[in-house]
Amino acid sequence: MISQTYSSRKYGIIGIIVLIGLVYLTRLFLLQVPKNSYKLSAENNILRYITEYPTRGLIFDRTGKLLVYNEPAYDLLVVPGQLSDFDTTELCGLLNIDPLDFSDKLSKAKKYSNYKPSIFLEQISQEDHAFLAEKLYKYPGFYVQARSLRKYPYNTAAHTLGYIGEVTKNEVESDVYYQSGDYIGKSGIEKFYEKALRGEKGLSIKIVDVYNREKGAFREGIYDTAAIAGKSIQITLDADLQKYGEYLMQNKIGSIVAIEPASGEILAFVTSPTYDPNLLVGRIRSKNYTILSKDSLKPLMHRAIMGTYSPGSTFKIVNALIGLQEQVLYPDTKYDCQGPNSRPIKCTHFHTTPLELQGAIMHSCNPYFWKVFRSIINKPTFENTEAAYNNWKNHANSLGFGLKFHTDIPFELRGNIPASDFYNRIYGEGRWNSLTIRSLAIGQGEILVTPLQMANFTAIVANYGYYYPPHLLKSIIDQKESNNNYRQKQTTINKKYFSLIVKAMNDVVDMPHGTAYWVRIPDIPVCGKTGTVENPHGKDHSTFIAFAPKDEPQIAIAVVVENAGYGSTWAAPIASLMIEKYITKEINRKWMEDRIANANLLNRNEEKK
Amino acid sequence: MRRRSNILANLDWITIILYFTLVFLGWLNIYSAVYNEEHQSIFDVTQRYGKQLIWISASVFLIFIILFLDVKFINAFSYIFYAAGIIVLIMVLFFGKEISGSKSWFHIGSFGIQPSEFTKFVTALALAKYLSSYNINLQNLKVLFNTLIIILLPALLILLQNDTGSALVYFAFFLVLYREGLSAKLVVAGITILTLLVLTLLLNKFYIWGGLVLVFFILLFFIKRNFSNISKLFLLLLISASLVYAINYSFNHFLSPYQQKRINVLIGKDIDIRGAGYNVHQSKIAIGSGGFWGKGYLSGTQTKYDFVPEQDTDFIFCTVGEEFGFVGSLTVIGLFMLLLLRLVQLAERQKSRFSRIYGYGVISLILFHFTVNIGMTIGIIPVIGIPLPFFSYGGSSLWAFTILLFIFLRLDSFRSQLL
Ligand SMILES: [Zn+2]
């Protein structure tokens, strides 16, 4: 007996079939038709973007010596999604890393992306790479990408050349060119000429399969771009002179800046203590950077542009020039000097009295320049002290003090020539006068200058009143447009007032009673001025500015040796040796060189205390 | 000759056309999935599309044999086929070759065959034979028990081969039981158990227990509140609650972490595109990137560069989705819908109960494979490795479905007669 056929249940079955069909079609429609992330994923899956890194430009000195070049290095990349089982211990051994460190790096890479390559180990040397490359086939998912490391064969001018390092998050955000992991110039030439040196990255898009095997160029390479090599540049430094300056300054704190007066080109840019630029390269960089930044002598600080000092006696020349220009001082103006009993500023030198201007410069007479300064500030043509002071400040600024040059030197400081507001704030408007600010007369007080500004001022004197802003670029090699766009700058001081100053400065070195007679160079007339800068924090700084030869000067130089005492004792011979080295290319005064190079003046500050 | 032309005239050509269309489309997609520039000849038998051509030719040969079989012979030998199938399954356990973790293959020389594919149709035959016997009623517990034995015995043996996917296929026969009068209560019970299963995997068991108690009180409000009803309802509550506990316990203690993870990925508790979810993720990318019109034949990048694993077998539908887009998906799903609905129509027109039940066996197997296979490629159903009928690469699968379908067509050609 066939009791019941349940044939109505076929509708239930048809219903189930149709329902499944509709659900699947809806799902497929949603998956396939509206815009969604799956389309993008498919492209990313199969396209590998390979950045072609250009070689960074080389850096040469003014004579064509190679200062910076590139050495190949390799980054090990990992794509976690492509890893298969491998011998971790063996790989750790190959890479010379700790297994714990290994798993740490791997989980970091996984966190970043399973499918995109991330840097596993940076900057593997060429030798290590050759060894690793043979074994790498055993470790699918690991790749090597060629990069390069900066090398400094001359081991000099670390601060000037600067260094490169990985881009920061901010740098990535502010410039689309950079991607995380890229390198960028962080300081010095590397920073300022980053765009020229870096070149342009290229990109090639390759199709890859799931095993990451390359299957050829994407769309026959129509989106690929070739990397453009960075441009090499020649800088104004003279590597031999620079290196010699660093040698003289060893075990001393301070700076030497030498400029070619006719062009503003910086010939030597010595900062001491310095460091080996090769230390801030590659994997050792961050470790060494920490060590250097913790050093109490601050070797990372570029003192030539970041060290600010009271100019001391060298500033008397500035006041002399301003006085002459303002016609409150004449070459034959005579002022009395009571030596140590002088008021309000005592004299530190013994000399005949009264002196004319030339003698006052040679003997660095404090009371004389106080009187010069007083006559500038009290000049009756100005309605009040503030107006006269502003005029004085204007002259000082035009001589390159209290301002930045804004050339190609990152991180330069402007020093300080106080604005009149500063004194108004301290003393009240109209309640200060020349006496209040008398220390400016002898280059003390609030005035601060950098060694670069002092060297530039020396160049102004050598040029009789003008200068080219000091800079480091000689040329960008293979660049068509001219790169020297630094215009000659005229100061507020008339040319005619310089002859007397030059004569006086020449006497300082070449006359037997000059303060720096002992550092004269036979056959080269040198003009100089010593400075012994009172330093509230310790022993006086020894300073010296000079240029030579007196007619047609080739080099203008400023030397600061911190806590070294008299300008004539340390800064003067260093400047003299630098001039000799630059002009004659050899040193005849070996005894002087040895005495300077062997002196250790690092702990003088402690001795005094 | 008169008899043969009679068969041809009575054959359902709509189904045959649908069959060959699906087989042809399947082959096109296998060619694309395997395609590479070095081997372009479609007859290259070192490549899978070349081999599939051989399997297709052999299928045509099989079709002719089946069409010449005596319908009465098929009916009479159903149990013997079934018994033979069970014996082969047992033999595989001892002499089979293990391939990727399942011991489900027989190797004769270099030629491999998967017996579990063929036990599907013998089970359908045996089920049809048993349920069409005189005076059989599925409401009868003993009959139900015997039916379950017929269905679950091969499933159990295949489970022992460690081929979970193929074993699950046998649950498809519950559709046949439903059609043939399985008690509505049991159907409701089945659905309830399935719902509890999914909920238990998704939620904390305490929530579900709370929910069950709530349902208990709501139902209490609706039923006639006499002692018998209340105690029955309370018993049901207890059974459900213990079931939840049992599922929870089994999940945590009997499943390997790998299996747990697969299930978790499926129900959305776990997202791991590297591990268990990788296949599904890549598959969805392939299908999703196809868009409306597809990337064009042989131009699927996901396919070409092997991002989707097993793309010519279990994940063949990805190739359709990527290269032919939504239009392709619509076509393939449409063809399967047409085939299934046509088969329902054919099954319902059978005079013989044997033929009808066998017909529903065919429908339930194809429907199950279709649902699970495409469901997993679009991320609706867990990754259960079973092929898409007529589409996926593989001789065993193609032959088994061909035999399954054409036995029914042979029975259908004889539909006007009672067996
Ligand atoms: Zn004096």
Side-chain angles (χ1 to χ4, degrees), chain A residues 377 384-390 393 418-434 436-437 440 446:
Chain A
I377 301 299
N384 57 27
T385 306
E386 191 175 340
Y389 175 80
N390 283 335
K393 177 175 180 287
S420 53
D421 284 353
F422 172 79
Y423 295 112
N424 285 340
R425 256 201 325 276
I426 293 183
Y427 304 110
E429 231 176 295
R431 302 189 57 183
W432 52 280
N433 55 36
S434 54
T436 331
I437 56 172
L440 301 188
E446 292 83 12

Side-chain angles (χ1 to χ4, degrees), chain A residues 490-548:
Chain A
Q490 205 61 46
T491 64
T492 51
I493 311 297
N494 194 298
K495 191 178 174 198
K496 64 185 175 196
Y497 298 120
F498 283 91
S499 349
L500 180 103
I501 301 294
V502 169
K503 176 79 183 62
M505 282 174 72
N506 184 224
D507 289 352
V508 167
V509 182
D510 289 344
M511 293 299 279
H513 48 281
T515 46
Y517 179 67
W518 76 281
V519 302
R520 72 197 178 280
I521 308 166
D523 306 326
I524 303 176
V526 175
C527 303
K529 177 76 193 81
T530 56
T532 304
V533 180
E534 282 175 37
N535 172 16
H537 310 293
K539 200 165 174 184
D540 295 347
H541 299 323
S542 170
T543 69
F544 192 72
I545 58 171
F547 65 88

Side-chain angles (χ1 to χ4, degrees), chain B residues 80 95 120 154 166 229 235 302 342 354 378 402:
Chain B
I80 295 175
F95 310 112
K120 288 169 195 168
S166 298
N229 275 351
L235 193 68
Q302 287 285 100
R342 179 65 184 166
F354 173 80
I378 56 180
T402 303

Side-chain angles (χ1 to χ4, degrees), chain A residues 459-509:
Chain A
I460 291 170
V461 178
N463 288 336
Y464 286 66
Y466 67 85
Y467 69 99
Y468 288 93
H471 56 271
L472 287 163
L473 181 73
K474 191 109 177 113
S475 68
I476 295 176
I477 296 164
D478 295 333
Q479 181 163 294
K480 286 188 186 75
E481 65 260 40
S482 152
N483 14 65
N484 235 329
N485 40 21
Y486 300 116
R487 297 255 176 85
Q488 181 183 315
K489 287 202 163 184
Q490 205 61 46
T491 64
T492 51
I493 311 297
N494 194 298
K495 191 178 174 198
K496 64 185 175 196
Y497 298 120
F498 283 91
S499 349
L500 180 103
I501 301 294
V502 169
K503 176 79 183 62
M505 282 174 72
N506 184 224
D507 289 352
V508 167
V509 182

Side-chain angles (χ1 to χ4, degrees), chain A residues 5 9 24 27 45 81, chain B residues 178-179 182 274 282 371 378:
Chain A
T5 59
R9 286 197 175 178
Y24 281 20
R27 170 76 171 177
N45 243 346
Chain B
Y178 167 70
R179 171 63 185 82
L182 185 68
R274 167 74 188 150
Q282 292 295 351
T371 307
I378 56 180

Side-chain angles (χ1 to χ4, degrees), chain A residues 349-597:
Chain A
H349 299 270
F350 293 98
H351 54 81
T352 55
T353 181
L355 287 172
E356 294 186 349
L357 178 56
Q358 197 174 326
I361 291 173
M362 203 166 71
H363 292 292
S364 205
C365 178
N366 285 345
Y368 189 96
F369 286 98
W370 147 244
K371 283 161 190 160
V372 172
F373 183 67
R374 186 183 58 189
S375 59
I376 297 168
I377 301 299
N378 295 348
K379 188 178 173 186
T381 49
F382 292 103
E383 53 182 284
N384 57 27
T385 306
E386 191 175 340
Y389 175 80
N390 283 335
N391 182 55
W392 175 86
K393 177 175 180 287
N394 188 38
H395 285 303
N397 288 154
S398 106
L399 292 167
F401 294 110
L403 300 171
K404 289 183 187 179
F405 294 112
H406 294 295
T407 55
D408 52 4
I409 307 161
F411 308 124
E412 62 170 327
L413 294 184
R414 51 196 280 272
N416 187 29
I417 300 292
S420 53
D421 284 353
F422 172 79
Y423 295 112
N424 285 340
R425 256 201 325 276
I426 293 183
Y427 304 110
E429 231 176 295
R431 302 189 57 183
W432 52 280
N433 55 36
S434 54
L435 189 67
T436 331
I437 56 172
R438 64 186 174 278
S439 52
L440 301 188
I442 55 163
Q444 299 285 350
E446 292 83 12
I447 305 181
L448 292 173
V449 302
T450 64
L452 178 65
Q453 288 170 340
M454 285 165 71
N456 182 62
F457 172 69
T458 315
I460 291 170
V461 178
N463 288 336
Y464 286 66
Y466 67 85
Y467 69 99
Y468 288 93
H471 56 271
L472 287 163
L473 181 73
K474 191 109 177 113
S475 68
I476 295 176
I477 296 164
D478 295 333
Q479 181 163 294
K480 286 188 186 75
E481 65 260 40
S482 152
N483 14 65
N484 235 329
N485 40 21
Y486 300 116
R487 297 255 176 85
Q488 181 183 315
K489 287 202 163 184
Q490 205 61 46
T491 64
T492 51
I493 311 297
N494 194 298
K495 191 178 174 198
K496 64 185 175 196
Y497 298 120
F498 283 91
S499 349
L500 180 103
I501 301 294
V502 169
K503 176 79 183 62
M505 282 174 72
N506 184 224
D507 289 352
V508 167
V509 182
D510 289 344
M511 293 299 279
H513 48 281
T515 46
Y517 179 67
W518 76 281
V519 302
R520 72 197 178 280
I521 308 166
D523 306 326
I524 303 176
V526 175
C527 303
K529 177 76 193 81
T530 56
T532 304
V533 180
E534 282 175 37
N535 172 16
H537 310 293
K539 200 165 174 184
D540 295 347
H541 299 323
S542 170
T543 69
F544 192 72
I545 58 171
F547 65 88
K550 175 169 163 270
D551 306 306
E552 293 181 34
Q554 296 172 31
I555 179 170
I557 192 165
V559 178
V560 176
V561 188
E562 291 186 20
N563 313 121
Y566 293 118
S568 60
T569 322
W570 298 106
I574 290 172
S576 168
L577 288 166
M578 288 290 282
I579 290 168
E580 185 184 10
K581 176 80 178 172
Y582 183 67
I583 294 176
T584 69
K585 308 292 174 210
E586 58 183 355
I587 296 295
N588 285 315
R589 296 167 295 168
K590 200 70 186 146
W591 59 272
M592 186 187 276
E593 180 187 292
D594 291 343
R595 175 180 169 264
I596 300 293

Side-chain angles (χ1 to χ4, degrees), chain B residues 266-285:
Chain B
L266 163 80
I267 56 180
K269 262 171 93 173
D270 200 340
I271 20 176
D272 172 23
I273 57 170
R274 167 74 188 150
Y278 175 79
N279 295 6
V280 177
H281 180 72
Q282 292 295 351
S283 161
K284 277 156 82 181
I285 288 175

